[in-house]
DNA sequence: AGACCAATCAGATCG
DNA sequence: TGATTGGTCT
């Protein structure tokens, strides 16, 4: 997003004011377009893409599979609308989910249109456009247009205060949990009055609703909003003020939505309000682009249903499918398509490619003994590719859960292999950045109480709890901001001399900085503030390992301020934007979660950890049942379709989860890959070739991976494994009998699945186990006792030294002391 | 104010 | 197992 705050009067006709200058080039282009010769920007589009670009009128749903040129269509469509003179830039509403996507789109449109179009003011994320609308009409939501935007941290602090004010135990009822509930309600577009009874009762014996209400009240008095409000307030404003909504209807002639499958209910309501113009005689020009198969954010409120329902919502909608894939080989596409065909709730698309090369490698499935070997083998493969001249930048490892990353990082560090972790804590969420921003906020907007509270004693200046409470009391009594209250307090004798001097010093500093606000360049001011407040000093004196990095981040913060015109403009955007850029300069392997890989592509992709319980993740199955499984499968699909040429999938037989070694079984997703496009790699690594011994008791039904991944003799045939399995089944049966929320679900095999192996036909159904491994607490006391001599398939022989439920601590002769579940050892 | 210990928790994350 | 967090103690 461009840096400057948009200070143009809303309907001040920014187009009319300078149409000539801008329309010049566009008009000429439009002319060319009407004269028949296809404009250059349409060149190279395939027929479907072109249809999606040129069907500008009426509702359109573009179902764009992975790698089918979705962004290209979206940007070309906008360029087309502009070039043919159908609308001015400011009459197009284009929403994305991430700032990155918005930036990218803006840049690409600029290339297409051939000039800077700073005039696409309504291209941005749902939230940034929400802010913009809300600032215009803040008073209609009972706010001042200078409202501040809280992030999750502020939110939790605030809720905690409210919970305590209610006289509740904030241990028993954590603010974090309430914040999540409120977020969930807001995602669904629910105001305190709308939340269902059941939900309302779920928190603090029915105080949930009251707390939500109190929270909203508090936000209003603080003149603040949270992220959810950025959509909810505009929705309410639109509903209660038809004239306001009408203005937007007149303004937005074309609406475009990216990643439509990720929209939640609130976003959907917001869009519908804007798109459905009863006064308009022609159809709504809304174009939603998405891929139902890549909907992986159900857990954060996304409703796949929005995309599945599109044709009903917008009668007469055209649905255009983009299925021609420009990214991956036929093997990769074949594997991905076959896998995703196992999902039921989908609109259905099949990717294809013309670029079929018989030399393309198949998708490789590898087995490893444990996660350590997995990491070692992947590292070797990467080094081999590197030796053949491949760039590390073209390789990525995509994991299901972030704890998997560590093993790879360790390995890469020892190998001296460059890697970069994508994702992780966002830049602006770091403590030092948030502190620095709080200083800037208090200077820019003195009434920002949350900012004041954050910095009042950072660095330590002897203003502890007692002093802060005193300031609070005064502020509440006089109805002023905390800063004002502090100012008043230092003029009196109410405080003890020491804190009073400290507070006076702080207040005077803030006033001094405020005085500099107009006269000093904002980057310079920021440096002055951080220096004079002692904040940088604090980190310089800090001996911890992170301190240098934090100082570096602060420098980075100031550097990033340069792009903005003013401090105010910077703060406006910082609340919404600010992800640290990754430098492409260094050649490095990317390491990230599957979720953050969406939208990216790499020549070579490694997908480790394809084991039941990890992927599909147990919690997704427990909480989401069938829907949860389907979302996991879509996640797998996203992973597969990230690869352009080489795709390696790994699973291990043993994995340490929460410090306990557990035996694992291959993911059911492996069985859902088509044989024609997959080959099981024969490793000749440290463990030598794998013994092939059939007959693994796989509770999910026979699998063609039953025989892989066995380094020694078949571990699955050992009595220990058999007993583990027996225990597991007993445990799950017990659980199903007594616990709610767990049920046995039958997933029949679809037609698409019947392709391989005679064994399959005999399988009646597949059970989603409630528990992969009996949960750590067992009802039955362990059958072992201290001193027992036992055998474990991974660690060999050892003696039991301690028992905790079904967790055993064992001194192994060779491997040392380990903790394992009792099901995996056998008395000898 | 800071150090130290026990308790808790371990799926993904955009703005 | 390990990081993080909240509490207590000095």
């Amino acid at each position: 997003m461009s840096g400057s705050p948009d200070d143009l009067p809303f309907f001040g006709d920014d187009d009319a004011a300078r149409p000539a200058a801008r329309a010049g080039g566009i008009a000429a282009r439009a002319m060319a377009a009407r004269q028949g010769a296809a404009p250059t920007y349409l060149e190279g589009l395939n027929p479907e893409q072109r249809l999606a670009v040129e069907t500008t009128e009426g509702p359109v749903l573009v179902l764009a599979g992975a790698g089918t040129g979705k962004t290209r269509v979206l940007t070309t469509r906008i360029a087309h609308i502009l070039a043919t003179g159908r609308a001015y830039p400011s009459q197009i509403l284009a929403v994305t989910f991430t700032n990155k996507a918005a930036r990218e789109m803006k840049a690409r449109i600029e290339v297409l249109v051939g000039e800077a179009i700073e005039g696409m003011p309504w291209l941005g994320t749902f939230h940034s456009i929400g802010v913009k609308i809300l600032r215009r009409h803040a008073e209609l939501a009972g706010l001042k247009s200078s409202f501040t935007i809280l992030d999750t941290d502020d939110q939790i602090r605030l809720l905690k205060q409210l919970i305590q004010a209610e006289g509740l135990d904030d241990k028993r009822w954590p603010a974090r949990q309430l914040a999540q509930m409120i977020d969930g309600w807001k995602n669904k577009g629910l105001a305190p009055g709308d939340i269902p009874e059941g939900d309302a009762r779920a928190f603090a014996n029915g105080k949930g609703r009251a707390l939500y209400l109190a929270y909203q009240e508090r936000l209003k008095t603080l003149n603040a909003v949270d992220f959810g409000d950025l959509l909810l307030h505009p929705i309410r404003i639109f509903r209660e003020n038809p004239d306001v909504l009408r203005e937007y209807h007149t303004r937005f002639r074309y609406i475009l939505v990216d990643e439509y499958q990720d929209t939640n209910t609130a976003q959907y309501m917001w869009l519908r309000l804007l798109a459905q113009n009863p006064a308009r005689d022609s159809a709504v020009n809304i174009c939603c682009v998405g891929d139902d198969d890549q909907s992986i954010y159900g857990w954060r409120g996304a409703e796949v249903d929005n995309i599945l329902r599109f044709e009903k919502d917008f009668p007469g909608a055209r649905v255009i499918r983009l299925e021609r894939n420009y990214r991956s080989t036929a093997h990769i596409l074949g594997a991905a398509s076959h896998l995703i065909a196992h999902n039921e709730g989908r609109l259905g698309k099949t990717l294809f490619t013309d670029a079929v090369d018989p030399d393309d490698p198949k998708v490789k499935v590898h087995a490893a003994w444990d996660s350590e070997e997995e990491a070692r083998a992947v590292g070797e493969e990467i080094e081999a590719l590197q030796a053949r001249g491949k760039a590390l930048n073209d390789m990525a490892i995509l994991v299901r859960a972030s704890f998997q990353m560590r093993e790879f990082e360790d390995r890469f560090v020892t190998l001296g292999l460059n890697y970069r972790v994508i994702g992780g804590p966002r830049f602006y969420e770091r403590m030092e950045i948030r502190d620095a921003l709080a200083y800037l906020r208090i200077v820019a907007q003195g009434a920002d109480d949350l900012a004041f509270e954050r910095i009042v004693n950072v660095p330590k200046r002897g203003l502890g709890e007692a002093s802060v409470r005193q300031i609070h009391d005064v502020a509440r009594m006089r109805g002023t901001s905390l800063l004002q209250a502090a100012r008043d307090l230092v003029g009196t004798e109410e405080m003890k001399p020491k804190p009073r001097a400290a507070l006076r010093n702080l207040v005077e500093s803030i006033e001094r900085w405020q005085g500099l606000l107009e006269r000093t360049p904002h980057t310079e001011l920021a440096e002055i503030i951080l220096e004079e407040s002692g904040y940088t000093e604090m980190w310089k004196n800090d001996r911890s390992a992170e301190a240098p990095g934090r100082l570096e981040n602060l420098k980075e913060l100031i550097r990033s301020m340069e792009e903005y015109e003013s401090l105010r403009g910077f703060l406006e955007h910082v609340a919404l934007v600010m992800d640290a850029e990754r430098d492409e300069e260094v050649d490095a392997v990317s390491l990230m979660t599957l979720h953050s890989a969406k939208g990216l592509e790499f020549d070579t992709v490694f997908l480790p950890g394809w084991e039941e319980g990890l992927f599909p993740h147990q919690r997704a199955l427990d909480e989401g049942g069938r829907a949860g499984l389907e979302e996991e499968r879509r996640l797998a699909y996203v992973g597969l379709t990230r690869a352009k040429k080489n795709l390696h999938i790994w699973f291990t037989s043993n994995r340490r989860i929460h410090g306990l070694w557990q035996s694992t079984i291959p993911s059911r997703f492996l069985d859902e890959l088509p044989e024609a496009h997959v080959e099981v790699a024969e490793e000749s690594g440290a463990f030598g070739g794998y013994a092939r011994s059939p007959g693994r008791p796989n509770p999910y039904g026979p699998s063609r991976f039953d025989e892989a991944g066995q380094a020694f003799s078949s571990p699955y045939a050992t009595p220990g494994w058999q007993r583990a399995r027996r225990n597991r089944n007993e445990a799950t049966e017990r659980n199903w009998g007594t616990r709610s929320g767990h049920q046995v679900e039958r997933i029949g095999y679809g037609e698409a699945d019947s392709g391989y192996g005679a064994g399959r036909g005999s399988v009646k159904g597949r059970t989603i186990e409630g528990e992969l491994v009996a949960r750590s607490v067992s009802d039955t006391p362990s059958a072992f006792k201290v001193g027992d001599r036992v055998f474990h398939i991974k660690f060999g022989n050892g003696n039991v030294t301690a028992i905790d439920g079904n967790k055993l601590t064992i001194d192994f002769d060779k491997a040392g002391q380990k903790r394992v579940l009792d099901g995996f050892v056998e008395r000898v």
Side-chain angles (χ1 to χ4, degrees), chain A residues 568-809:
Chain A
R568 205 189 138 269
F570 172 69
L571 288 174
E572 165 71 12
H573 284 266
V574 102
L576 297 165
V577 197
M578 265 193 62
D579 19 22
E581 297 289 315
R582 60 171 166 147
D583 52 344
E584 298 281 348
E585 307 297 307
V586 201
D587 192 34
V589 187
S590 296
L591 183 54
M592 70 190 95
T593 63
L594 285 161
H595 281 91
S596 41
K598 192 163 81 155
L600 306 177
E601 57 177 33
F602 301 89
D603 279 352
T604 303
V605 167
F606 297 90
L607 302 171
W610 281 43
E611 297 125 39
E612 283 295 314
L614 177 58
F615 194 34
H617 199 280
Q618 194 57 44
R619 276 182 72 172
L621 302 182
D622 288 349
E623 290 163 18
R626 166 60 159 281
L629 173 63
E630 296 213 340
E631 183 154 315
E632 293 289 290
R633 194 176 280 118
R634 289 194 291 266
L635 198 50
Y637 175 77
V638 167
L640 298 174
T641 52
R642 296 311 95 196
K644 294 205 259 190
K645 298 182 191 141
N646 306 302
L647 182 53
H648 298 273
I649 303 174
W650 287 82
F651 68 94
T652 70
S653 307
N654 296 281
R655 194 171 287 276
R656 198 167 55 182
I657 293 172
H658 308 333
L660 287 174
W661 278 101
Q662 296 183 185
S663 255
T664 51
I665 43 180
S667 169
R668 70 191 75 186
F669 295 154
L670 290 167
D671 286 328
E672 296 174 359
L673 300 172
E675 262 182 355
H677 298 295
V678 176
E679 91 185 66
V680 178
E682 294 287 341
E683 303 298 328
S684 51
F687 286 96
Y690 291 100
R692 299 245 149 202
S693 52
R696 173 175 67 121
N698 183 341
Y700 297 88
S703 159
R704 70 204 141 91
F705 295 95
D706 285 353
E707 292 147 27
Q710 301 162 26
F712 308 122
S713 65
S714 168
Y716 299 113
T718 63
W721 168 261
Q722 306 252 6
R723 197 160 48 78
R725 184 178 137 256
R726 221 164 38 238
N727 290 347
R728 175 168 71 243
N729 291 339
E730 280 162 19
T732 43
E733 272 157 35
R734 268 203 310 282
N735 289 338
W736 284 329
T738 52
R739 271 164 45 185
S740 60
H742 280 254
Q743 7 175 313
V744 186
E745 260 190 84
R746 299 269 169 208
I747 308 236
Y749 283 132
E751 281 311 301
D753 205 7
S754 55
Y756 31 80
R760 295 203 142 238
S762 61
V763 181
K764 286 186 216 78
R766 174 181 294 203
T767 312
I768 300 176
E769 297 272 338
E771 321 271 38
L772 174 57
V773 168
R775 282 285 159 90
S776 39
V777 193
S778 165
D779 304 340
T780 41
S782 177
F784 295 91
K785 45 187 203 305
V786 172
D788 278 355
R789 183 83 181 149
V790 294
F791 173 77
H792 182 272
I793 54 172
K794 179 174 168 65
F795 303 119
N797 289 315
N799 299 316
V800 176
T801 56
I803 298 171
D804 170 19
N806 59 347
K807 283 176 268 186
L808 307 179
T809 304

Side-chain angles (χ1 to χ4, degrees), chain A residues 401-442:
Chain A
S402 48
F403 75 82
Q404 292 173 260
M405 289 187 190
R406 186 135 119 231
E407 205 102 36
F408 288 97
E409 292 194 56
D410 287 353
R411 189 66 199 152
F412 295 162
V413 168
T414 42
L415 288 176
L417 198 62
N418 276 340
Y419 70 93
R420 83 183 119 233
V421 175
I422 315 268
R426 304 241 100 48
F427 184 63
Y428 67 89
E429 279 167 10
R430 289 159 203 261
M431 188 195 349
E432 65 278 15
I433 298 302
R434 293 173 43 80
D435 287 343
L437 288 174
Y439 270 105
L440 299 177
R441 272 157 61 193
I442 194 73

Side-chain angles (χ1 to χ4, degrees), chain A residues 134-135 137-148 216 219-225 229 233:
Chain A
L134 192 51
R135 291 239 191 261
H137 314 285
E139 72 294 343
L140 295 177
L143 295 163
K144 283 178 269 171
S145 73
S146 59
F147 62 80
T148 48
Q216 291 306 114
L219 287 179
K220 202 175 273 183
T221 46
L222 284 167
N223 192 34
V225 297
D229 289 339
H233 283 316

Side-chain angles (χ1 to χ4, degrees), chain A residues 1-3 5 96-100 102-103 123-135 147-151 225-231 426 428-429 437 564 568-580:
Chain A
M1 232 156 304
S2 80
T96 64
F97 273 84
T98 63
N99 288 299
K100 197 177 155 223
R103 262 197 313 267
L123 188 166
T125 61
F126 276 101
H127 293 89
S128 67
I129 290 170
V131 185
K132 199 158 180 169
I133 293 174
L134 192 51
R135 291 239 191 261
F147 62 80
T148 48
I149 301 161
L150 303 195
D151 60 26
V225 297
D226 62 21
F227 284 120
D229 289 339
L230 295 178
L231 283 168
R426 304 241 100 48
Y428 67 89
E429 279 167 10
L437 288 174
Y564 299 85
R568 205 189 138 269
F570 172 69
L571 288 174
E572 165 71 12
H573 284 266
V574 102
L576 297 165
V577 197
M578 265 193 62
D579 19 22

Side-chain angles (χ1 to χ4, degrees), chain A residues 460-489:
Chain A
K460 306 266 186 268
R461 31 175 91 87
L463 294 168
E465 209 184 328
S467 311
V468 172
R469 173 150 328 127
Q470 223 173 339
I471 301 170
H472 259 294
D473 290 345
V474 172
R476 191 150 359 102
M477 228 151 45
R478 309 200 184 162
T480 63
S481 68
L482 292 178
L483 179 61
Q484 184 57 45
R487 202 177 282 136
D488 294 349
L489 257 177

Side-chain angles (χ1 to χ4, degrees), chain A residues 13 62 116 122 134 190 341 463 514 528 540 604 659 690-691 816:
Chain A
D13 250 37
V62 180
W122 300 100
L134 192 51
L190 301 173
L463 294 168
Q514 283 173 335
I528 292 171
K540 279 183 190 149
T604 303
Y690 291 100

